[in-house]
Amino acid sequence: MRNKIIVEASGRINLIGEHVDYNGGFVLPASIDKKIIIEIHSVSGEKCNIESKTLDKGFKINLKKIYKSKIQWQNYIIGVLYNLIVLKKLKIEAFNCKIESNLPIGAGISSSSALICGIASGLNYLNNLKLTNDEIIDIVSDVEHNFIGLMGGIMDQFTIVNGKKNKLILLNCQNRNFKYINFDFNNYKFLLINTNIEHNLADSAYNERVKECSEALSVINKKYNKYNSLIEVEENILNEFKSILKEKIYNRALFVIQENQRTHDSANKISNSKLKEFGELMYKSHYGLKNLYEVSCKELDFLVEFTSNHEEIIGSRMMGGGFGGCTINLIKENYVDNFVDLVSQAYLDKFHIKLNAFTVNIDNGITIKNIYDF
Ligand code: GLA
């Protein structure tokens, strides 16, 4: 008898709190009903066969010879095997695996973390490794940092591992304390609009922001020597360094401190059903990401601006790492179809690119089904 499992690993949205996770701040994400589906089947021997139905590509790997690949998507899987077998010296049975996805790739909704989380959680289950959620989150960070070259924070993997149906997660990225907030937005929906602009997070711009933030922190700590992360610095303290820091570095730090505050404020507004006020914070977040943090692009800005004459949309902003990907919009449910028609045409006229728009529901982050194969 061999074991066969089906793992479903969801993507994530982030309501607010962008680019604060690696600065120890608060984020407000949720796992969604767009998923990567991974079928894993134990086999005898040492050779694994991995197939991506979505990419229509595959590769083989021998568990005794695990090396980084030149092909990036393969490293999402190889990185997990390297962590489990080479670093943690755990015993993993050979397996065949088929991957399918309805999660758009490179859209800023975390298809890469979903794949890594799904593989790590599936192998954990199949091999009875007893890894905790925190250990899985660390494995995903290790793969992203050391195999993919993206110095990302923990928001994506934390959300995928801990996400629950109809719950938002208010997460403190410094100590991983979190609480669930009920998601009940009545007749409003989250509409994601994909610019279809290629967004490559491993691209140096993301890692550059990580470095710029740590530069700001180290200058401030030369005087104060007490801050563990940038979000602990109050805005008035940052202002003491306005003439010392390079303007760009000051702006990055200012954004991070303000965005972290916006996450706290948003959680309060949402808990008190003040959705319009939360929506205003989404717009403020976008303008900070555009002007201070400089991770937006003209296509994202166009989509956010386009919502401003439509009172049925109460909040809009770019989501995720930036430089392309999606906007997240809070929109009256009965206006979705109408708006998608209008914005699709306007975007096509302006950029000669077709966008994709889809509403998302908040769903469980990881589910594993066990199927016995006799
Ligand atoms: C990417 C990273 C996350 C986070 C966001 C920006 O999704 O993987 O860790 O930094 O960008 O908020």
Side-chain angles (χ1 to χ4, degrees), residues 12 14 16-23 27 108-110 112-113 144 150-157 199 201 206 210 259 289 293 317-322:
R12 64 101 190 91
N14 186 23
I16 203 154
E18 218 63 90
H19 284 277
V20 296
D21 60 348
Y22 53 84
N23 286 301
V27 293
I109 51 179
S110 217
S112 48
S113 296
E144 287 185 352
L150 172 77
M151 302 315 285
I154 60 156
M155 170 170 76
D156 303 351
Q157 51 268 44
H199 119 127
L201 269 183
Y206 183 96
V210 178
E259 180 75 353
L289 287 158
Y293 218 66
R317 62 178 202 84
M318 58 147 277
M319 189 181 74

Side-chain angles (χ1 to χ4, degrees), residues 101-371:
S101 171
N102 60 27
L103 199 56
I105 296 170
I109 51 179
S110 217
S111 55
S112 48
S113 296
L115 178 55
I116 308 173
C117 278
I119 295 283
S121 303
L123 293 180
N124 181 34
Y125 182 90
L126 211 50
N127 295 280
N128 199 18
L129 303 178
K130 300 195 165 61
L131 297 169
T132 62
N133 281 356
D134 268 337
E135 285 170 314
I136 290 184
I137 291 164
D138 290 335
I139 291 170
V140 181
S141 294
D142 174 56
V143 175
E144 287 185 352
H145 292 183
N146 299 316
F147 264 75
I148 310 299
L150 172 77
M151 302 315 285
I154 60 156
M155 170 170 76
D156 303 351
Q157 51 268 44
F158 190 97
T159 308
I160 297 164
V161 167
N162 291 294
K164 280 200 192 337
K165 195 174 169 78
N166 291 333
K167 303 276 182 200
L168 308 172
I169 302 176
L170 177 64
L171 166 67
N172 179 342
C173 297
Q174 182 142 238
N175 56 19
R176 301 189 187 182
N177 288 341
F178 71 104
K179 72 173 189 189
Y180 290 114
I181 298 182
N182 284 333
F183 171 75
D184 179 14
F185 281 15
N186 292 322
N187 44 0
Y188 281 91
K189 278 271 182 198
F190 283 116
L191 173 70
L192 301 191
I193 305 183
N194 191 350
T195 55
N196 284 330
I197 297 294
E198 193 54 38
H199 119 127
N200 184 1
L201 269 183
D203 166 355
S204 55
Y206 183 96
N207 291 342
E208 211 174 279
R209 296 301 179 283
V210 178
K211 265 205 212 136
E212 287 165 349
C213 290
S214 76
E215 184 180 330
L217 182 63
S218 76
V219 171
I220 296 166
N221 266 338
K222 274 200 188 116
K223 176 167 177 201
Y224 285 102
N225 198 24
K226 64 172 185 181
Y227 297 112
N228 296 312
S229 64
L230 198 49
I231 55 92
E232 292 171 14
V233 180
E234 300 84 357
E235 209 173 308
N236 62 318
I237 299 285
L238 173 67
N239 284 337
E240 286 178 25
F241 295 85
K242 193 164 180 178
S243 58
I244 300 168
L245 291 167
K246 282 180 235 148
E247 190 187 355
K248 184 172 79 176
I249 304 292
Y250 170 81
N251 286 344
R252 306 292 193 246
L254 181 62
F255 167 78
V256 166
I257 293 166
Q258 292 179 341
E259 180 75 353
N260 188 55
Q261 186 56 47
R262 280 191 285 267
T263 310
H264 288 291
D265 296 345
S266 296
N268 278 332
K269 300 293 179 202
I270 291 170
S271 304
N272 293 307
S273 303
K274 295 191 170 155
L275 284 194
K276 286 216 163 110
E277 291 171 34
F278 161 59
E280 283 159 22
L281 292 166
M282 290 175 75
Y283 281 107
K284 287 192 176 144
S285 167
H286 183 78
Y287 291 114
L289 287 158
K290 175 185 176 202
N291 300 321
L292 297 174
Y293 218 66
E294 297 180 284
V295 289
S296 187
C297 62
K298 59 183 190 310
E299 293 84 0
L300 287 166
D301 295 338
F302 175 84
L303 292 177
V304 172
E305 288 299 336
F306 192 82
T307 64
S308 60
N309 299 325
H310 301 262
E311 62 181 23
E312 297 83 353
I313 299 178
I314 55 175
S316 177
R317 62 178 202 84
M318 58 147 277
M319 189 181 74
F323 312 105
C326 287
T327 61
I328 176 169
N329 304 274
L330 192 50
I331 178 170
K332 273 235 169 92
E333 193 166 5
N334 60 10
Y335 192 58
V336 170
D337 292 344
N338 219 332
F339 181 72
V340 169
D341 286 346
L342 293 172
V343 71
S344 303
Q345 190 58 52
Y347 189 75
L348 188 63
D349 291 347
K350 174 97 181 159
F351 299 110
H352 309 291
I353 301 171
K354 274 195 175 167
L355 55 71
N356 290 98
F358 49 98
T359 54
V360 290
N361 297 304
I362 296 183
D363 203 0
N364 292 326
I366 288 269
T367 56
I368 300 179
K369 274 189 226 130
N370 201 353
I371 293 163

